[in-house]
Amino acid sequence: MAYSKTPAKRARNAEKRRISNKARNSEMKTAIKKFETSVLGDDVDTAREQLIHASSLIDKSVSKGGLHKNTAARKKSSLAKKFNAMV
């Protein structure tokens, strides 16, 4: 742990951000996995809903600084290709 006030505060804030980022990324990855399982199950309506939800979470991750915008675009494009191939 840091000795002076400022590094101690930065360490506390970094821990808060780490926990928040971990939760957001975990939620995003879970949504992507649910989408992929619905694609494998050939359920178009569920897959469409899961795609919208996963895309929304990816966008939120970009706005919070968790993902780079090009990485997010690549992920969303990949999911859309899978959905379009299924339909």
Side-chain angles (χ1 to χ4, degrees), residues 32-43:
I32 291 171
K33 287 177 188 175
K34 284 183 180 179
F35 166 74
E36 290 176 346
T37 56
S38 65
V39 167
L40 292 176
D42 288 333
D43 188 5

Side-chain angles (χ1 to χ4, degrees), residues 21-39 46-47 49-58 61 67 75 79:
N21 289 339
K22 186 175 180 182
R24 192 180 318 104
N25 286 335
S26 176
E27 185 181 10
M28 179 184 65
K29 288 177 184 179
T30 302
I32 291 171
K33 287 177 188 175
K34 284 183 180 179
F35 166 74
E36 290 176 346
T37 56
S38 65
V39 167
T46 306
E49 292 173 11
Q50 294 295 333
L51 175 63
I52 293 168
H53 181 65
S55 296
S56 172
L57 290 176
I58 290 170
S61 186
L67 283 179
K75 285 181 182 292
L79 296 178

Side-chain angles (χ1 to χ4, degrees), residues 4-87:
S4 60
K5 286 184 178 181
T6 304
K9 182 177 179 180
R10 288 189 62 81
R12 286 193 307 269
N13 288 337
E15 181 65 15
K16 289 177 191 175
R17 283 192 306 271
R18 184 187 71 81
I19 291 169
S20 175
N21 289 339
K22 186 175 180 182
R24 192 180 318 104
N25 286 335
S26 176
E27 185 181 10
M28 179 184 65
K29 288 177 184 179
T30 302
I32 291 171
K33 287 177 188 175
K34 284 183 180 179
F35 166 74
E36 290 176 346
T37 56
S38 65
V39 167
L40 292 176
D42 288 333
D43 188 5
V44 177
D45 294 331
T46 306
R48 181 177 289 117
E49 292 173 11
Q50 294 295 333
L51 175 63
I52 293 168
H53 181 65
S55 296
S56 172
L57 290 176
I58 290 170
D59 288 336
K60 285 180 185 178
S61 186
V62 170
S63 69
K64 300 290 184 179
L67 283 179
H68 191 271
K69 63 179 184 174
N70 291 349
T71 303
R74 190 174 63 241
K75 285 181 182 292
K76 287 170 52 177
S77 174
S78 172
L79 296 178
K81 280 183 185 177
K82 289 177 184 178
F83 179 74
N84 291 334
M86 181 186 80
V87 175

